[in-house]
Amino acid sequence: MFTSGPQLCPGHPGTATMGASVGLLLLSLLLLLPCIPGLPFYNGFYYSPGGRNLGSGHKEGLFNGVKLVVETPEETLFTHRGANVTLPCRYHYEPALASLRPVRIKWWKLSENGAPEQDVLVAIGQRHRSFGDYEGRAHLQQDREREASLELQDLRPEDSGRYRCEVIDGLEDESGVVELELRGVVFPYQPPQGRYQLNFHEAQRACEEQGAVVASFEQLFRAWEEGLDWCNAGWLQDGSVQYPITLPREPCGGLGLAPGVRSYGPRHHRLHRYDVFCFTAALKGQVYYLEHPEKLTLTEAREACREDSAHIATVGQLFAAWKFRGLDRCDAGWLADGSTRYPVAHPRPNCGPPEPGVRSFGFPDPQSRSYGVYCYRQS
């Protein structure tokens, strides 16, 4: 005759027999663990949210007279697109323990600017699993004892943000935060159809097509501090619409307002239409003006870059090359979106306004042979 095994969450506790071993009793208790109310379950293990600390730096929890301490850096880590970076996280016990204890480690990216939290990696022992866009790019560094650092490879602009490292020992968990920022540049973008043509979802796609992402408010504010002045309102990552003004004037909010970032507040993602502020990070490759014996149509420009073992550059790549490589050229050239622009790092006569920047000629007739081309070659 077969007998049923232990039941999960039995409605009525069974009567223990006198001959039951301690091992079976412990097994039964473990099987009952999922029934304990208020104990969250995550990827195969349980943890208590009560010990979670939302700050950064050194965090500690107390259990059985021993403190679990998690250490992460207070300062922001700066890097660039395509790089590999390590987000440091270590833990120890006070007083020190003579033997190693099994722990679980979880990394996730915190919610910012309306974006949801993102699971990055969960590890138990030598086994780990990464999630979503981080799959294959996120790895746990365990070179030293009590190391829980996260290595991210081939960084993308959307990887900027705050990451939490959580160490779980039994029912105790402590955590710290690491802030990662990619060096980048914010630029306003309009599509070929003209001003105020993009709803929020179209704005996201427009930035992606230019090798960029929709900028956050923090990124736009930093760009304004560095001198960005633009009188057209554009979408930001949190779904709000804003624009930066360094020189107050009548068409841009009036002379009575102080310089700053003007806000229209949150807007409907589908119904409302504006421009967009995009953010792109520093490049791994090279943007250059292709020396060619004659001017080119847009189709000829694409082909000329291909023949030079490159691709026609995006708007984001041109801005990044101007910002971080000092690209300086007074010749307008085709870009991938059909616009023509040129980068000026050192203003001079007959080369546009007196400020550094990327000048635009808009979206000329694609058959026009009045321009050269900017190409991008990956390193």
Side-chain angles (χ1 to χ4, degrees):
M1 177 182 295
F2 294 100
T3 59
S4 61
Q7 294 181 354
L8 222 61
C9 304
H12 303 283
T15 304
T17 63
M18 295 299 293
S21 67
V22 173
L24 287 174
L25 180 59
L26 289 174
L27 179 59
S28 299
L29 290 172
L30 287 173
L31 288 169
L32 286 170
L33 190 58
C35 306
I36 299 175
L39 192 59
F41 177 81
Y42 187 87
N43 283 354
F45 57 82
Y46 296 85
Y47 65 94
S48 165
R52 187 175 292 184
N53 192 311
L54 297 182
S56 61
H58 294 205
K59 305 300 167 196
E60 57 186 45
L62 186 66
F63 61 102
N64 295 329
V66 177
K67 289 189 293 186
L68 170 63
V69 181
V70 173
E71 298 175 303
T72 52
E74 298 279 356
E75 63 275 5
T76 300
L77 303 182
F78 291 91
T79 184
H80 59 85
R81 182 207 299 263
N84 299 337
V85 67
T86 297
L87 310 187
C89 180
R90 300 204 70 211
Y91 66 96
H92 65 273
Y93 299 91
E94 296 176 0
L97 300 180
S99 59
L100 291 175
R101 292 172 58 88
V103 298
R104 291 87 165 178
I105 296 165
K106 176 187 174 186
W107 279 91
W108 74 95
K109 188 180 181 189
L110 298 178
S111 172
E112 286 185 303
N113 299 304
E117 287 187 348
Q118 292 178 267
D119 291 331
V120 177
L121 178 143
V122 173
I124 178 169
Q126 295 300 313
R127 296 181 301 145
H128 74 268
R129 179 185 174 191
S130 51
F131 301 92
D133 292 339
Y134 296 96
E135 192 167 353
R137 297 194 299 127
H139 306 277
L140 196 66
Q141 278 200 354
Q142 294 178 302
D143 300 336
R144 297 182 294 172
E145 285 186 359
R146 302 191 172 103
E147 179 91 29
S149 299
L150 178 72
E151 181 185 4
L152 293 178
Q153 298 176 344
D154 191 22
L155 288 174
R156 305 167 183 175
E158 58 267 30
D159 291 337
S160 281
R162 299 167 70 239
Y163 292 79
R164 182 171 297 284
C165 168
E166 182 178 43
V167 178
I168 304 149
D169 185 329
L171 298 182
E172 284 295 324
D173 67 288
E174 294 302 326
S175 63
V177 170
V178 183
E179 186 163 0
L180 176 66
E181 186 170 324
L182 272 66
R183 297 176 66 229
V185 57
V186 171
F187 61 94
Y189 187 78
Q190 290 180 0
Q193 295 79 11
R195 183 174 183 257
Y196 292 177
Q197 296 295 316
L198 302 171
N199 67 27
F200 180 73
H201 306 292
E202 292 165 343
Q204 288 179 311
R205 288 195 294 272
C207 287
E208 288 170 5
E209 289 169 358
Q210 303 315 312
V213 295
V214 179
S216 67
F217 171 77
E218 290 79 10
Q219 289 163 344
L220 182 65
F221 187 82
R222 192 175 302 115
W224 168 75
E225 289 182 313
E226 294 173 357
L228 180 61
D229 182 280
W230 195 255
C231 201
N232 290 338
W235 290 103
L236 293 181
Q237 193 180 94
D238 61 359
S240 67
V241 172
Q242 311 196 34
Y243 63 101
I245 296 297
T246 58
L247 299 172
R249 50 203 184 272
E250 282 301 335
C252 305
L255 291 170
L257 292 177
V261 177
R262 318 275 198 243
S263 177
Y264 287 0
R267 294 291 169 172
H268 195 286
H269 284 195
R270 286 187 298 105
L271 300 181
H272 292 143
R273 294 181 176 274
Y274 296 93
D275 295 343
V276 62
F277 290 98
C278 302
F279 171 85
T280 189
L283 296 169
K284 284 183 69 177
Q286 177 192 11
V287 174
Y288 59 97
Y289 183 82
L290 181 65
E291 300 294 345
H292 198 273
E294 55 190 19
K295 301 299 184 181
L296 305 163
T297 67
L298 177 58
T299 300
E300 292 167 345
R302 295 182 193 277
E303 183 59 31
C305 287
R306 280 195 292 268
E307 290 175 355
D308 203 45
S309 301
H311 298 281
I312 188 169
T314 66
V315 176
Q317 288 165 346
L318 186 67
F319 267 92
W322 162 75
K323 177 77 172 181
F324 300 109
R325 302 287 176 83
L327 185 62
D328 183 274
R329 186 87 191 202
C330 207
D331 298 288
W334 291 106
L335 295 176
D337 67 339
S339 65
T340 54
R341 307 175 193 241
Y342 65 99
V344 176
H346 306 289
R348 51 201 180 273
N350 303 317
C351 204
E355 301 85 17
V358 174
R359 325 292 194 213
S360 174
F361 280 83
F363 294 86
D365 181 347
Q367 299 305 313
S368 170
R369 280 199 173 89
S370 302
Y371 308 99
V373 62
Y374 286 94
C375 303
Y376 172 72
R377 183 182 292 125
Q378 185 135 8
S379 299

